[in-house]
Amino acid sequence: MESVHSFQERRRATAWLQQGRVGDGITEPTGAEVTEDAASGALEAGKLYRYVAGVDQQARSLDPQEVQQLGDPMATVFFRQGRFPMTVQDLLAGLPQPETTANQQIYLTSEAGQILPGADLPRDPRFAIARAIAGREADLLISTGATGDPATTFLQVAAWDQAAGVFNYYMRRTPVWVWAGNSWLSLTSDSRGHGCFDSHVNGSVVMKELKQPWINWQSQSATIQLAPDDPLRSNPLYQQVVGGQNLELTVRSLVSRWTAARLAAVTADGRVAHPDHLMRHLFTTTTVNLASSATPSAVVTPSSGDLALPAGFWLNTDALLTDELALPVSSALPMAPAAHYVASLTTFGFRLEEKTSGFSQPGDTFFAFVVPEAAYEDYDVVLQMVRKKLITAKFAACALMLDFTNPVFSPERARLMTYVPTVATAVADLEGQIVQAISRAAATLQPDSPERRFTADWALPAADWPKAFAQRIDDYLAHVTKLIGASAAFDDYVRLAESRRRDFKAMRLNEFELTLPTTNIPGDAPRLRMREDGTVEPRP
């Protein structure tokens, strides 16, 4: 097989290269079978191929009946008609003309986008294009390189099939297009975590940096830096770029669209098919978003006052403080002394580093204190389960409060997956079965076990649990607010942030070295967890 560096139609996923990984799907389309066929000319132009990583041993062409079963715009506008656009320009030109400018929105992202032009590293800007074909909601999300030859840079599409209620994932592999799977295949054991589903882990579209300040995206918070003579400036697509704050709204809507279709399908007969597939969104971290302070790191000085760290670092604010749960918390989130943050950059040797290119510069990422937080994908499944009455708000709250100070990567919450049925279960019985199984186990375990603590919370009266949980959160935030004024405590929070970053770096969602800062904290340092008293300790 050819070297991983020899393929042009791929993203330059530098973090994967450092880990010795070779991508095999829509996120980084370099699967051995597909690329070897393409390199040898074995793929025949004018056909749609199938290659689902983890399922298919090699690419094969889809027969006409299989193509007819695909109902998304890529299939109906192009593949069913024997049309195979090889560039993003041809793809966009071949679609029906957008009725309004809102029907086609173009976005720009680059992990090196805030590093001043002239630095010796590839900037790798990428376009994301949201296109509505029928109605106002996007049906296509297109991803492609913003520089280089449009015929050889990567070109990938997530396309919504309204009739089937799924996203279909496609990648161009010259001289053909390849169907890499659909949303349902993200959930099956053979293909989960492989190919496009190492990043689209739950079958939904992905925008890692979903919230303000939309890290790495051109947005109302920051403009991607280009040299005055950068040829990208004359690219017609670049000239139509709008802010990433708009893409946030599109992605949230598309995630919810798939969640609704998924829940409707798995509960259609009054039973929940694969309850464990749904409950892992509540009890585990299936994926994450990346969040940061809204303040650029370079403008923070010791005399800047207080710095607001991302809310999702402290707790899952989306799930616990909004919508159906909306616990009546009265405390404000802690503010960090800017002097402690600035000192930590030296103490922990913060730097931006891309080993692949040899680039290094001291300091934090452009926006300060980037950390993984609980994913909107997980939250949306939990919220819609509550609204569809698959579970109650109290059940969701009891699960989330079990280790609420650690909103991501919690072994304690994950332990409760042991008690979730793995076979189809009546909707009316699901919550009760799980609670009963946890309660039975709790009777034989220590008082501080996750099972005993969940059972104690579940026993709270209906009128009392919201206030009881809110009081615990208020007490926790008060502890942190008091402790964070001391530099030693803030340094512990930096270590905790780095522990969570290392957990993220182990995920295939971690594609680019410049996404996160590098520190002098050893890679084998113990993983850490936050306690309810605001102190940090090694994670069991």
Side-chain angles (χ1 to χ4, degrees):
M1 188 175 70
E2 296 184 47
S3 161
V4 69
H5 300 285
S6 67
F7 300 118
Q8 294 179 312
E9 296 180 45
R10 59 186 297 275
R11 288 186 180 180
R12 183 176 167 273
T14 58
W16 291 3
L17 297 178
Q18 289 302 314
Q19 297 159 5
R21 292 171 169 174
V22 179
D24 53 4
I26 195 80
T27 302
E28 187 186 55
T30 58
E33 294 80 358
V34 176
T35 49
E36 287 186 31
D37 281 346
S40 67
L43 299 182
E44 183 180 345
K47 291 185 177 181
L48 177 63
Y49 281 74
R50 166 193 163 115
Y51 177 72
V52 179
V55 176
D56 298 326
Q57 295 302 308
Q58 61 183 11
R60 69 168 179 83
S61 62
L62 294 178
D63 62 42
Q65 290 77 19
E66 290 174 310
V67 177
Q68 285 295 320
Q69 291 173 1
L70 299 171
D72 62 83
M74 286 297 292
T76 59
V77 175
F78 294 111
F79 305 142
R80 289 186 190 176
Q81 313 305 321
R83 302 168 62 203
F84 296 87
M86 289 292 111
T87 67
V88 67
Q89 290 82 1
D90 290 343
L91 194 162
L92 294 175
L95 294 170
Q97 288 301 302
E99 296 179 2
T100 68
T101 56
N103 285 56
Q104 179 172 292
Q105 299 281 288
I106 301 176
Y107 306 93
L108 185 68
T109 184
S110 170
E111 284 67 29
Q114 300 305 326
I115 296 172
L116 292 179
D120 187 17
L121 82 164
R123 304 181 72 79
D124 293 326
R126 304 180 300 281
F127 290 126
I129 305 169
R131 181 64 179 268
I133 305 299
R136 300 182 62 183
E137 193 162 19
D139 304 289
L140 298 175
L141 277 186
I142 304 162
S143 180
T144 190
T147 56
D149 185 350
T152 58
T153 190
F154 71 91
L155 178 56
Q156 307 155 354
V157 179
W160 179 252
D161 185 330
Q162 181 63 37
V166 295
F167 289 104
N168 286 312
Y169 291 93
Y170 300 98
M171 58 182 176
R172 183 209 58 210
R173 174 62 64 196
T174 304
V176 303
W177 278 83
V178 177
W179 179 79
N182 64 29
S183 299
W184 288 114
L185 287 169
S186 73
L187 308 176
T188 61
S189 57
D190 288 342
S191 49
R192 185 168 177 78
H194 297 289
C196 58
F197 306 124
D198 57 21
S199 295
H200 301 270
V201 294
N202 300 306
S204 279
V205 298
V206 174
M207 181 184 183
K208 292 192 297 288
E209 309 89 347
L210 189 63
K211 295 179 182 175
Q212 191 177 8
W214 308 283
I215 314 157
N216 302 322
W217 291 87
Q218 181 145 312
S219 72
Q220 65 188 29
S221 296
T223 299
I224 289 179
Q225 301 296 306
L226 298 178
D229 60 349
D230 193 316
L232 182 56
R233 291 184 181 274
S234 62
N235 187 317
L237 296 179
Y238 173 76
Q239 294 169 0
Q240 301 174 57
V241 165
V242 297
Q245 67 273 6
N246 296 344
L247 183 57
E248 173 188 347
L249 301 177
T250 295
V251 168
R252 287 178 182 271
S253 176
L254 293 179
V255 168
S256 295
R257 183 195 283 189
W258 159 235
T259 300
R262 176 185 172 189
L263 292 182
V266 301
T267 61
D269 64 353
R271 299 187 302 166
V272 182
H274 298 294
D276 50 322
H277 290 184
L278 294 180
M279 290 301 168
R280 61 190 172 204
H281 294 280
L282 176 62
F283 292 123
T284 77
T285 299
T286 71
T287 185
V288 297
N289 289 130
L290 296 177
S292 75
S293 167
T295 305
S297 58
V299 306
V300 183
T301 68
S303 59
S304 293
D306 290 332
L307 179 68
L309 303 186
F313 176 67
W314 304 115
L315 72 160
N316 189 339
T317 53
D318 287 343
L320 290 169
L321 305 186
T322 63
D323 296 313
E324 264 62 11
L325 270 62
L327 299 177
V329 171
S330 58
S331 298
L333 294 173
M335 299 286 286
H340 294 348
Y341 168 73
V342 172
S344 75
L345 301 182
T346 300
T347 300
F348 296 101
F350 273 74
R351 61 197 184 278
L352 288 181
E353 188 171 85
E354 186 182 84
K355 293 180 181 177
T356 303
S357 64
F359 172 82
S360 182
Q361 75 174 29
D364 200 357
T365 45
F366 180 77
F367 290 106
F369 211 84
V370 177
V371 290
E373 69 171 8
Y376 179 74
E377 291 179 52
D378 285 337
Y379 163 68
D380 188 60
V381 173
V382 173
L383 178 62
Q384 292 204 38
M385 283 198 295
V386 172
R387 289 178 174 174
K388 285 182 66 70
K389 303 189 185 306
L390 274 68
I391 58 175
T392 60
K394 180 182 180 181
F395 180 85
C398 287
L400 293 167
M401 288 297 297
L402 179 65
D403 192 20
F404 73 92
T405 57
N406 297 284
V408 291
F409 309 122
S410 167
E412 292 193 309
R413 267 196 311 278
R415 176 164 155 170
L416 297 190
M417 280 297 295
T418 304
Y419 308 101
V420 176
T422 58
V423 297
T425 304
V427 170
D429 298 337
L430 179 60
E431 180 174 290
Q433 283 193 23
I434 298 172
V435 170
Q436 188 177 46
I438 295 173
S439 299
R440 281 199 302 264
T444 64
L445 297 174
Q446 296 296 317
D448 63 347
S449 68
E451 293 86 349
R452 286 282 290 272
R453 287 185 284 123
F454 177 93
T455 302
D457 286 344
W458 183 253
L460 291 170
D464 296 344
W465 65 264
K467 292 182 180 178
F469 291 164
Q471 186 61 58
R472 285 172 57 190
I473 294 174
D474 280 329
D475 291 346
Y476 158 65
L477 295 177
H479 289 310
V480 172
T481 298
K482 180 178 180 180
L483 291 171
I484 204 171
S487 60
F490 182 82
D491 285 353
D492 279 345
Y493 298 148
V494 173
R495 294 185 183 94
L496 175 62
E498 183 65 11
S499 173
R500 293 176 183 173
R501 292 188 196 113
R502 292 203 308 274
D503 282 329
F504 168 75
K505 287 179 179 180
M507 305 171 77
R508 287 299 295 273
L509 196 62
N510 173 39
E511 298 176 86
F512 306 101
E513 292 177 272
L514 293 174
T515 299
L516 297 174
T518 299
T519 71
N520 61 18
I521 299 173
D524 60 355
R527 293 294 198 270
L528 302 176
R529 67 184 298 270
M530 179 82 87
R531 292 166 48 89
E532 288 193 34
D533 64 3
T535 61
V536 176
E537 67 177 5
R539 190 172 72 194

